[in-house]
Amino acid sequence: MVLLDLSQMAPLVENKTKQQQGEEKMPQPKVKLVVTGDDFGYCERRNQGIVDLFKAGGISNVSLLVNAVSAEHAAELAKRNHIPIGLHANLSEGLPVSQDLTGSTLLNKDGFFHGKMGFREVLQSGQLKMSEVEAELRAQVNRFCELVGHMPYHMDGHQHVHVLPEVREVFAQVLSDFGITYTRVPIEPGLKFCTFLPSHLRDFNAQVEKDALESIEVFHRHGIRWPDVYLGLSTMAELMVHPGYPSQPHQGGCGEGPDDFSQSADRLHELNTLRDPLVLNYYRQQGILLCAFKDF
């Protein structure tokens, strides 16, 4: 994970609240920063790592994969530890939540989602039925409510599927219908200067940003909001991160087992970096207040 100079965000989200005359002046945060741990529910080790990081003050928000094998475990941990939680809507990895998708265009011949790039290929081919996308998104919101006991405080898309053409229209409508007012728009300042990324990631991230830019009008039209600044594409790690203790082989995933990303030591590296006292002290020194979508 790359450490970022978050103080540059201050002019965009500066707290403008004025002290009342005669009232004792207290330091006000320059930045309100949502640090979101994605893929909550992926496996118990990832779950525990995310909880430990939340307790250490390194993240302030989580996104739950309701179709992951340890989603119930994650939901219980969130309730027990009062962790602000939203939905990481998944249309690309593992098994669906909806029971009405037999033979669906969302699924391959084995009954699994098509994968990160496979989903995009089926969408581009014009074969993906938006009615099935809508059915699965609604099923995932309902499953979230069953697990957590309340509506998601925010809802974004696993592997950024929510900003893709056509999908974003359905996604925004579902958000509006359920009264979920916050999402993620992955447009990252300075991304084009991240030359340290391999070419295939640069190409993918550039396409994500293009799709995200085109989704703004859609989300605006439906009254959906998002943070002023997004960080997370350049780190592949609001600040999107993927911390946790690495998954063990055959333990975790969304029905197909854990992927290499989840088993990577990078997950522990992110966890340790985010809870490093130097990082936490930097937040305090720069007036950066970690918060969650429910705090707005």
Side-chain angles (χ1 to χ4, degrees):
M1 174 179 164
V2 178
L3 290 180
L4 299 158
D5 183 5
L6 301 177
S7 63
Q8 295 177 1
M9 296 165 56
L12 295 170
V13 286
E14 182 176 1
N15 188 316
K16 298 180 180 177
T17 303
K18 295 182 179 179
Q19 299 291 331
Q20 296 294 326
Q21 187 174 5
E23 183 179 288
E24 181 183 358
K25 291 186 177 180
M26 299 293 290
Q28 295 295 314
K30 297 177 182 177
V31 173
K32 290 183 178 180
L33 176 65
V34 180
V35 183
T36 300
D38 278 0
D39 300 347
F40 199 40
Y42 199 85
C43 73
E44 292 194 6
R45 285 175 56 80
R46 289 285 292 282
N47 293 349
Q48 191 58 55
I50 286 173
V51 171
D52 289 349
L53 183 56
F54 176 79
K55 288 181 175 179
I59 59 172
S60 54
N61 196 71
V62 297
S63 283
L64 177 66
L65 286 166
V66 295
N67 74 325
V69 298
S70 297
E72 291 186 25
H73 176 257
E76 287 304 314
L77 288 174
K79 287 185 281 189
R80 189 184 313 158
N81 294 281
H82 308 288
I83 303 175
I85 186 169
L87 174 59
H88 203 41
N90 184 3
L91 300 173
S92 56
E93 182 179 358
L95 293 165
V97 170
S98 174
Q99 301 298 308
D100 301 321
L101 293 180
T102 303
S104 169
T105 60
L106 276 172
L107 309 177
N108 63 23
K109 59 181 177 59
D110 298 315
F112 294 102
F113 290 132
H114 294 290
K116 176 178 173 180
M117 302 311 296
F119 179 87
R120 287 164 166 81
E121 291 168 3
V122 176
L123 176 64
Q124 290 172 357
S125 74
Q127 297 176 13
L128 199 63
K129 292 183 179 179
M130 289 301 113
S131 60
E132 295 170 350
V133 168
E134 180 177 354
E136 179 60 19
L137 289 175
R138 292 183 183 278
Q140 291 192 19
V141 174
N142 289 328
R143 179 58 176 157
F144 180 98
C145 294
E146 291 172 2
L147 290 170
V148 180
H150 61 73
M151 293 294 294
Y153 292 127
H154 72 282
M155 179 171 161
D156 54 52
H158 185 48
Q159 299 170 339
H160 308 296
V161 297
H162 67 300
V163 296
L164 290 169
E166 297 185 78
V167 176
R168 53 189 172 231
E169 291 280 356
V170 176
F171 194 88
Q173 186 62 58
V174 170
L175 287 174
S176 179
D177 289 348
F178 280 102
I180 304 168
T181 54
Y182 288 99
T183 192
R184 169 184 295 164
V185 177
I187 302 170
E188 182 165 334
L191 184 64
K192 64 182 179 180
F193 300 114
C194 296
T195 55
F196 55 85
L197 293 173
S199 59
H200 72 282
L201 278 182
R202 288 201 303 271
D203 292 343
F204 178 78
N205 291 345
Q207 185 60 52
V208 168
E209 281 210 325
K210 179 179 182 296
D211 292 330
L213 281 165
E214 293 172 356
S215 73
I216 287 177
E217 183 276 330
V218 178
F219 292 138
H220 264 311
R221 183 169 11 104
H222 286 82
I224 310 302
R225 302 177 64 191
W226 56 91
D228 296 283
V229 175
Y230 169 85
L231 300 167
L233 286 175
S234 62
T235 61
M236 285 304 291
E238 157 211 329
L239 174 58
M240 176 191 71
V241 293
H242 293 87
Y245 301 116
S247 302
Q248 298 288 353
H250 313 299
Q251 295 180 12
C254 301
E256 297 176 280
D259 57 16
D260 292 341
F261 184 85
S262 185
Q263 296 180 73
S264 167
D266 290 345
R267 309 286 67 73
L268 181 58
H269 177 66
E270 287 201 21
L271 189 157
N272 288 334
T273 300
L274 288 163
R275 66 182 175 187
D276 190 307
L278 290 173
V279 175
L280 301 182
N281 287 335
Y282 178 81
Y283 289 151
R284 287 189 285 270
Q285 292 166 2
Q286 297 296 325
I288 298 170
L289 175 66
L290 268 61
C291 56
F293 286 100
K294 74 179 185 67
D295 298 324
F296 294 106

